[in-house]
Amino acid sequence: QRQMVRDAINGSCALDNSTSTGEESEAEEGTNTFVIGVILSVVADVIIAISLNVQKTAHMRNEGADGKPVKGMLKLPLWWLGLLLNVGGELGNMLAYGFAPASVVAPVGSVGVIANEVIAVLFLKEPFRWRDAAGLVAIVGGVVLIIVAVPEDPVDLNAVVLQREYYARPAAYGYLIGLWCAVVLFLVHVEPRYAQKSVLVWLLLFLVH
């Protein structure tokens, strides 16, 4: 009888160990796929930035003395190279959504803005201003915060969950009403008076959306 009890205890311990090992392996696998998704997104957005600058280079080289294009863009091999790079980058982004949540992949796309700025300054000899540097720092900070704060296993959001857990709350209605009021305020009062003077008006409107 004692032997039977010992066997039962040993079997229970072995089951617990195998369960914990399985959970650890699943957690490690989830972390790996999360990292793969982030890396894929970063690489894809850098490729997209390169493609846009390649196409811009093609247009600049095709510009005549009178400022008009010498040939149609479809006849420019460099333009087609940029287009193919763009398609490859977008395919990489599509793959990234299979490894990391959209709440991470979409903001990481801002890395393309940084790559575009670097390429434009180094290769296209465009000016680099202090406000450009401030914007790049803000982008990096926002991307890092999102990657760190977003859980690796987010809640599976669907229409039922959104309706029951989020849209049914009074705070959701308050947010939507406030959002519409802010948009109307911008479009009726702020945009006609200040949009032609400062680009910040359009940036604020974008942020409100």
Side-chain angles (χ1 to χ4, degrees), residues 50 53 57 60 115-126:
I50 294 173
N53 283 277
T57 302
M60 292 171 61
N116 185 72
E117 180 72 22
V118 173
I119 295 171
V121 171
L122 294 181
F123 296 98
L124 300 183
K125 307 303 179 183
E126 294 187 1

Side-chain angles (χ1 to χ4, degrees), residues 178-192 205:
L179 178 62
W180 280 107
C181 291
V183 171
V184 171
L185 176 66
F186 267 94
L187 294 178
V188 174
H189 295 285
V190 179
E191 189 271 335
L205 182 61

Side-chain angles (χ1 to χ4, degrees), residues 48-188:
I48 292 173
I50 294 173
S51 72
L52 296 176
N53 283 277
V54 167
Q55 288 185 317
K56 183 174 182 178
T57 302
H59 287 295
M60 292 171 61
R61 292 181 179 180
N62 190 45
E63 186 175 320
D66 56 354
K68 298 181 179 180
V70 178
K71 296 186 296 185
M73 63 180 183
L74 297 180
K75 297 180 180 180
L76 304 175
L78 197 59
W79 185 88
W80 282 105
L81 175 61
L83 181 63
L84 291 176
L85 288 173
N86 193 288
V87 171
E90 294 296 347
L91 288 175
N93 258 333
M94 183 178 66
L95 291 175
Y97 280 103
F99 291 95
S103 56
V104 171
V105 176
V108 169
S110 302
V111 173
V113 179
I114 301 175
N116 185 72
E117 180 72 22
V118 173
I119 295 171
V121 171
L122 294 181
F123 296 98
L124 300 183
K125 307 303 179 183
E126 294 187 1
F128 184 76
R129 299 161 294 188
W130 285 109
R131 62 183 180 184
D132 297 332
L136 294 179
V137 171
I139 290 173
V140 172
V143 171
V144 171
L145 286 176
I146 290 173
I147 293 176
V148 172
V150 171
E152 297 176 10
D153 296 317
V155 178
D156 185 18
L157 294 179
N158 51 50
V160 177
V161 174
L162 290 174
Q163 180 66 32
R164 184 178 66 249
E165 300 293 337
Y166 299 97
Y167 294 159
R169 297 180 180 179
Y173 295 103
Y175 170 77
L176 292 175
I177 293 173
L179 178 62
W180 280 107
C181 291
V183 171
V184 171
L185 176 66
F186 267 94
L187 294 178
V188 174

